[in-house]
Amino acid sequence: MKRGQLLTEDAKEHFFKIAYPAAPFQEYVDYYFEISPHTDAADFYINGLPSSNTLIAFNLNEQPWHSLKEGSDTPAVFNYAHLLGHTSVLHTGVYAGGMHTFFVKLRPGIAALLFKEEAASFVNTHIDLFCLWGKDLSAEQLIAAGNFRERIQLFQNMLLKRFVNDRHYMKVQRLHQLVKTFHSLQLKGEKEIEKICQRNWVSYASARRDFLQYIGFTPKYCQRISRLKLALKEYKKQGYHFYYEDFGYTDFSHFAKDSRQITGRPPSLLI
């Protein structure tokens, strides 16, 4: 397996398209993207960091793509429609020339509501999508769509049919507010997270229970993987001398240690 790269949202790769949802779908989806290398392109390797998000992947042609979990020798093969659960393990995606896949990056906790399943059932797993939701939206419909924008519209039409505002949805909205705060503060431990919970009128114990129910990870772990991703993006741009303090790290060795603990690799082998 070749060393993968970190493909960030602002990537300018020719085979990568990205679009962000308009309201009201911002509550459900972080963004949509497509990967479609030219037919004669060499295999491209992308590092998938541990994440509290869930991906939905629709293959739009017969060319599959592969994903290899860190420490495993057997890649998973994706050739139709799959739910890729939130993960605590680094995965390397292998995208061959000619493949074409439409992805939906669901916000944390949304998969548990969308498919009415406990979040723990999605952790570190992948599932045939139609085992979860039948034929509400088929790959054939997406293939027949004329372009990326039409595929997004089809998916959003499906979301409108499935979602209702109940007490579970309100709890997930509250978790999103906490996760957003994790992105913007230099958090170093659970005490800081407890203070954030207090400012949002929820106890840490309640937040932890809801995180485990709807996201599958603790608030502290969600904060750690979010911080690492943001720091790696900056490290990729700035190199060794990036401002690691801005992400709650005491020094570069602290950042490198966190990277190894979370992904099994040093930062230099992730970007």
Side-chain angles (χ1 to χ4, degrees):
M1 170 63 70
K2 292 184 179 180
R3 166 183 161 184
Q5 300 182 33
L6 181 66
L7 187 68
T8 57
E9 293 85 350
D10 57 353
K12 304 300 182 184
E13 301 287 352
H14 64 85
F15 57 79
F16 178 70
K17 296 179 182 178
I18 186 169
Y20 294 90
F25 303 103
Q26 294 167 357
E27 295 290 336
Y28 313 129
V29 176
D30 267 348
Y31 54 82
Y32 307 92
F33 65 103
E34 283 191 358
I35 295 179
S36 180
H38 294 313
T39 54
D40 58 350
D43 290 354
F44 194 82
Y45 295 77
I46 299 175
N47 287 328
L49 299 174
S51 174
S52 57
N53 293 87
T54 305
L55 282 178
I56 295 177
F58 294 93
N59 263 40
L60 301 178
N61 61 20
E62 296 181 355
Q63 176 67 51
W65 60 282
H66 303 77
S67 178
L68 185 66
K69 182 169 66 175
E70 186 74 2
S72 173
D73 295 324
T74 305
V77 181
F78 300 104
N79 54 14
Y80 196 52
H82 288 84
L83 175 86
L84 312 178
H86 33 290
T87 175
S88 61
V89 182
L90 178 74
H91 288 74
T92 301
V94 186
Y95 302 92
M99 62 81 65
H100 189 186
T101 303
F102 171 67
F103 294 90
V104 181
K105 186 176 182 181
L106 297 176
R107 298 194 69 187
I110 292 300
L113 302 185
L114 187 59
F115 303 111
K116 297 179 173 57
E117 297 280 350
E118 287 290 327
S121 65
F122 299 133
V123 176
N124 294 326
T125 189
H126 55 86
I127 305 169
D128 185 309
L129 187 61
F130 300 124
C131 291
L132 294 170
W133 70 6
K135 296 294 184 180
D136 286 5
L137 177 63
S138 69
E140 287 78 9
Q141 288 176 285
L142 292 170
I143 292 170
N147 54 49
F148 184 36
R149 290 288 177 181
E150 288 185 19
R151 283 186 276 277
I152 292 172
Q153 187 61 53
L154 282 169
F155 187 84
Q156 291 181 164
N157 289 343
M158 184 279 303
L159 281 180
L160 287 175
K161 297 175 183 177
R162 294 184 68 91
F163 265 108
V164 294
N165 288 338
D166 59 11
R167 62 183 181 85
H168 296 286
Y169 177 68
M170 299 304 173
K171 286 185 177 181
V172 170
Q173 282 186 310
R174 185 173 65 187
L175 297 188
H176 288 170
Q177 185 59 43
L178 294 176
V179 171
K180 182 179 179 180
T181 309
F182 295 167
H183 290 178
S184 59
L185 292 180
Q186 302 173 17
L187 302 177
K188 298 180 181 178
E190 289 187 2
K191 288 186 178 180
E192 287 85 352
I193 293 178
E194 288 174 0
K195 291 178 182 177
I196 289 174
C197 291
Q198 291 172 4
R199 289 199 292 269
N200 284 272
W201 303 98
V202 60
S203 69
Y204 178 76
S206 294
R208 187 179 188 277
R209 181 176 60 250
D210 289 345
F211 267 76
L212 288 172
Q213 179 178 354
Y214 298 109
I215 298 180
F217 299 143
T218 66
K220 177 61 177 174
Y221 188 71
C222 288
Q223 181 264 320
R224 284 186 70 196
I225 58 180
S226 172
R227 175 177 69 172
L228 177 64
K229 180 179 179 180
L230 293 173
L232 282 169
K233 289 170 66 175
E234 194 64 19
Y235 173 56
K236 184 175 182 179
K237 293 177 183 177
Q238 304 293 339
Y240 179 81
H241 297 291
F242 84 103
Y243 293 107
Y244 38 77
E245 299 96 336
D246 288 349
F247 304 93
Y249 296 110
T250 55
D251 52 29
F252 188 85
S253 63
H254 181 197
F255 165 56
K257 179 181 178 182
D258 208 40
S259 174
R260 288 190 181 92
Q261 288 180 341
I262 293 174
T263 71
R265 298 187 193 177
S268 59
L269 295 183
L270 292 172
I271 62 171

